Amino acid sequence: MTTIKNDAWSRFAQEHGPDFATVEYISSLVTAPEAIAGTIGHSLMNATDPRVHEAIGLPRIRVFGPSQLDYEASEAVVHSKYDGSNLVEWLQAVTGRKDVCAAFNGVETWSSKIRSTIYRSIVEPMVTACGVPPRGLDFYSFIAVSGFTPFGIHSDPEPSFIFHLGPSTKTVWVWENDTLPKLPDNREISLHTDKYLKSADHEFTLSPGDFLCIPAGRFHLFRNNGPAVFLGMSYYREDNHDELLEAISTLVRRSENQQDLANTALVAASNGEIHRELDRRQSQRLSRGHLGPYRILPVELFNVDLPAECLDVPFAVNNNQISVMGQSISVPESISDEDISRFFQPGKVLRAVDLQKLTDSPSEGNALFIALLRVGATFQTTEAGS
């Protein structure tokens, strides 16, 4: 299914990337907002499944009330398995908050379905149009009932891309740097929204499907005009200073000598480890399609008796090894690379019995079927509910 107007999106990326330094609005960019909202639901269902928690850990989901983080409500959401019902109503019921606002970070890491949708609809056309995002991308979602953003007028250190999914509209105010260069007393946020609204340079009412780009450092404010969901994307621009510090930090943590950090860093620099670590980090981003690391979901989430859909994701088959967006699995020697390439076609429905016919035993076929699901090459509705 096409979820984004590819021509409009590619033109935007080509004309404004990679800096994305101006406020840009595109009406009806998302052609199927309900489909993307559905994949966010798939992701949330996996992220809140107790079986996933035991194998992988907890998701980062924060719940806010007006002007505050609600720790108790955040805990309630993380530990209450999403049942596939209306997202906003479910959040209200679980938290007991009528004014609930939830932020779900790393949304693309919890479901192969949303990963495939995001990569093909958003990431691939953007990379083709304006080049590789130097430090990768991050996707998140805000799900709210109504009212202003809980943290008020604020700015972000990287460009923000807002794909509004509805069902209600969202009003957004944005200030240019010379209008609101900083808040009083150098504050990072302001909850006194009324006194600044009239000075905003831009005011948009986003309908479901609309898109807005907010450049790095621009102060902005959201208001939900009813229950609404949006998919957000952070574009991490080149920052050699931070990239170098993160690489050094990784090497130091791996070192056995935790006492002499300065010497550890100097040794790493002298023998080329830092350059290799920088190259490794970039190769890792490329192999994952510039997205966050996919969670290898536990076996218990899948059913060999149900069919799976082959997803439209980058994959390679070589010497009985399948590599899919940063993950790899081994294939039984009884199955040729040609057989796998023939079976793995985007949109094709695959069953465990299809693979059993190619292997020496049903158990090998079943194991391969589950492995394809776990690495995100295929998608089964039971992965995230019906």
Side-chain angles (χ1 to χ4, degrees):
M1 174 187 290
T2 302
T3 56
I4 300 285
K5 291 179 180 176
N6 189 273
D7 290 346
W9 177 240
S10 296
R11 185 166 57 252
F12 159 78
Q14 186 174 33
E15 292 176 355
H16 301 284
D19 293 330
F20 300 105
T22 59
V23 177
E24 299 294 334
Y25 163 80
I26 304 176
S27 175
S28 303
L29 177 67
V30 182
T31 56
E34 70 289 343
I36 294 183
T39 64
I40 292 172
H42 293 153
S43 186
L44 182 63
M45 189 171 289
N46 281 339
T48 55
D49 193 313
R51 297 170 296 181
V52 174
H53 296 171
E54 291 181 9
I56 298 172
L58 301 176
R60 188 181 182 213
I61 302 174
R62 294 165 296 154
V63 176
F64 300 89
S67 309
Q68 62 183 355
L69 176 63
D70 188 329
Y71 291 97
E72 185 175 359
S74 299
E75 280 289 294
V77 170
V78 168
H79 294 285
S80 301
K81 188 176 185 304
Y82 174 53
D83 59 7
S85 60
N86 180 278
L87 266 173
V88 173
E89 293 176 1
W90 178 81
L91 283 171
Q92 288 178 312
V94 167
T95 64
R97 300 197 69 110
K98 296 299 182 184
D99 56 353
V100 69
C101 174
F104 181 12
N105 290 88
V107 67
E108 86 279 18
T109 67
W110 294 96
S111 168
S112 57
K113 189 71 171 180
I114 193 171
R115 199 172 183 82
S116 173
T117 299
I118 283 175
Y119 181 80
R120 288 304 186 196
S121 297
I122 298 173
V123 179
E124 188 178 42
M126 186 182 71
V127 170
T128 300
C130 69
V132 171
R135 300 183 64 212
L137 304 166
D138 173 52
F139 286 85
Y140 56 94
S141 179
F142 268 84
I143 307 158
V145 177
S146 61
F148 289 107
T149 308
F151 30 88
I153 299 173
H154 65 286
S155 64
D156 298 304
E158 62 281 326
S160 297
F161 298 76
I162 307 301
F163 302 86
H164 187 54
L165 308 177
S168 298
T169 61
K170 181 187 296 288
T171 304
V172 187
W173 292 265
V174 184
W175 289 260
E176 295 292 348
N177 284 337
D178 54 354
T179 304
L180 193 61
K182 64 180 181 180
L183 292 168
D185 301 320
N186 291 318
R187 294 175 179 172
E188 294 182 355
I189 66 172
S190 175
L191 301 175
H192 303 292
T193 56
D194 292 343
K195 64 187 294 186
Y196 295 109
L197 288 184
K198 291 183 179 179
S199 67
D201 297 281
H202 310 276
E203 180 177 342
F204 304 94
T205 298
L206 303 183
S207 297
D210 290 353
F211 166 81
L212 184 65
C213 169
I214 303 173
R218 300 294 200 283
F219 283 102
H220 56 279
L221 175 69
F222 296 115
R223 185 184 67 198
N224 295 290
N225 303 317
V229 179
F230 79 71
L231 176 70
M233 182 181 83
S234 295
Y235 181 99
Y236 295 103
R237 300 173 298 172
E238 188 169 14
D239 188 327
N240 293 330
H241 180 265
D242 276 3
E243 187 76 351
L244 180 61
L245 287 178
E246 289 174 12
I248 293 173
S249 176
T250 299
L251 293 173
V252 167
R253 286 197 301 271
R254 291 181 193 155
S255 172
E256 296 179 0
N257 184 4
Q258 294 291 325
Q259 302 303 314
D260 190 351
L261 301 184
N263 186 60
T264 300
L266 287 173
V267 170
S270 64
N271 64 20
E273 282 186 70
I274 292 178
H275 285 291
R276 287 193 290 273
E277 176 62 18
L278 289 169
D279 289 341
R280 185 194 69 81
R281 291 166 65 86
Q282 187 63 355
S283 296
Q284 193 176 58
R285 293 189 191 106
L286 289 168
S287 71
R288 295 194 309 236
H290 317 290
L291 303 173
Y294 181 63
R295 321 272 174 161
I296 304 298
L297 299 173
V299 174
E300 293 79 12
L301 264 65
F302 308 106
N303 187 339
V304 294
D305 296 323
L306 296 177
E309 176 188 345
C310 295
L311 293 171
D312 189 7
V313 292
F315 81 101
V317 182
N318 187 37
N319 294 325
N320 293 99
Q321 190 88 358
I322 300 177
S323 297
V324 182
M325 291 195 74
Q327 304 293 342
S328 296
I329 57 173
S330 296
V331 180
E333 293 184 0
S334 58
I335 304 180
S336 69
D337 291 352
E338 291 75 18
D339 284 334
I340 286 295
S341 296
R342 178 166 52 86
F343 273 97
F344 191 76
Q345 298 293 330
K348 184 172 182 177
V349 175
L350 185 67
R351 297 177 181 273
V353 68
D354 299 327
L355 299 178
Q356 291 172 12
K357 295 174 182 177
L358 300 176
T359 56
D360 293 332
S361 69
S363 61
E364 278 191 333
N366 291 345
L368 178 56
F369 181 78
I370 293 295
L372 288 168
L373 285 161
R374 295 189 71 202
V375 299
T378 56
F379 176 81
Q380 197 172 51
T381 54
T382 52
E383 175 188 336
S386 57

